[in-house]
Amino acid sequence: MRILAIDTSCGAAAAAIVDSGDIEPLAMVSRLMARGHAEALAPMVEEAALGVEGGLGTLDRIVVTTGPGSFTGIRVGLAMARAMGLALGVPVVGVSTLAALAAPLLSEPRPGVIAAAIDARHGSAYFQLFEASGRPLGPPRCDTLRECVRGIGAGPALLTGDAATLVATEAHRAGLPYDLGSAADAPDIVAVARMGLALDPAANAARPLYVKPPDARPSAAEPIAKAPA
């Protein structure tokens, strides 16, 4: 089975094509970027497809990260994945960005829990804990850094995500043991592809996982004007 993986949920844009029978990806393109995902993603997917014999026509499935993370980035990735799925007639699978961040840490089991954290700004983080086996210890949530550390318990904690350093600072204050050695700011796109190959598309639809409402909201004093009938 051949799959295209797309991630634009954090501070990077990435695309990879992976075959279930191969250890190495057939093609991979990844670039760090805080914004501009909408303009960058389509050329990156095209670049990845040009590196694979048969191109996009050989795909059996598409997987995309669904958040939490950048509101704009999530929408860009999902729109691209869904459009391509319709055009190619292949299923689209969604994976949580927090689970994708945790996935590479499962290959070398170590004592403690895996804590994936994405910067939600204003002193908060999108946060989720996982056992070393990969089993989630509760749903994704948005919490203050202090509450994230409290949720870890006695530790030790293997931290990852672009808020890992922020959580580590709070953990240090609390005297909680932690490990930043495997932290990554954005999901490993090949790990995203491997997850997409293993999941059932029917049970893992590509829907946005926002966890909290957007920071930008219409002013109560100035409601959005409706178009004339």
Side-chain angles (χ1 to χ4, degrees):
M1 183 184 293
R2 187 167 290 182
I3 190 168
L4 167 68
I6 292 171
D7 171 53
T8 51
S9 59
C10 295
I17 298 177
V18 171
D19 196 290
S20 58
D22 295 333
I23 297 175
E24 298 295 327
L26 300 178
M28 180 174 66
V29 185
S30 180
R31 298 189 182 98
L32 296 175
M33 56 178 63
R35 54 181 59 86
H37 297 86
E39 295 78 16
L41 183 58
M44 292 174 71
V45 169
E46 182 179 17
E47 182 180 341
L50 289 173
V52 176
E53 185 176 355
L56 298 176
T58 64
L59 295 178
D60 301 295
R61 185 178 292 186
I62 296 169
V63 60
V64 60
T65 48
T66 59
S70 160
F71 283 86
T72 301
I74 292 166
R75 291 194 296 269
V76 167
L78 282 167
M80 172 70 78
R82 289 171 174 172
M84 292 185 65
L86 286 172
L88 297 171
V90 298
V92 180
V93 184
V95 302
S96 156
T97 305
L98 291 167
L101 283 164
L105 278 65
L106 305 179
S107 60
E108 299 180 10
R110 286 166 284 181
V113 296
I114 298 169
I118 299 170
D119 190 1
R121 302 186 180 183
H122 313 300
S124 299
Y126 303 114
F127 184 76
Q128 190 173 18
L129 294 174
F130 301 85
E131 289 184 345
S133 64
R135 186 177 75 88
L137 294 170
R141 66 183 194 265
C142 183
D143 232 329
T144 65
L145 299 174
R146 180 174 295 181
E147 288 302 315
C148 291
V149 170
R150 285 179 178 172
I152 292 171
L158 307 177
L159 302 177
T160 189
D162 65 6
T165 301
L166 298 175
V167 175
T169 300
E170 192 65 37
H172 181 74
R173 292 194 187 108
L176 177 75
Y178 61 88
D179 183 351
L180 276 172
S182 300
D185 286 346
D188 179 333
I189 193 63
V190 176
V192 173
R194 299 291 180 199
M195 293 174 70
L197 286 167
L199 294 173
D200 178 5
N204 297 274
R207 299 191 185 98
L209 177 60
Y210 289 136
V211 180
K212 74 165 188 173
D215 293 328
R217 302 179 186 178
S219 169
E222 299 179 5
I224 297 175
K226 294 182 179 180

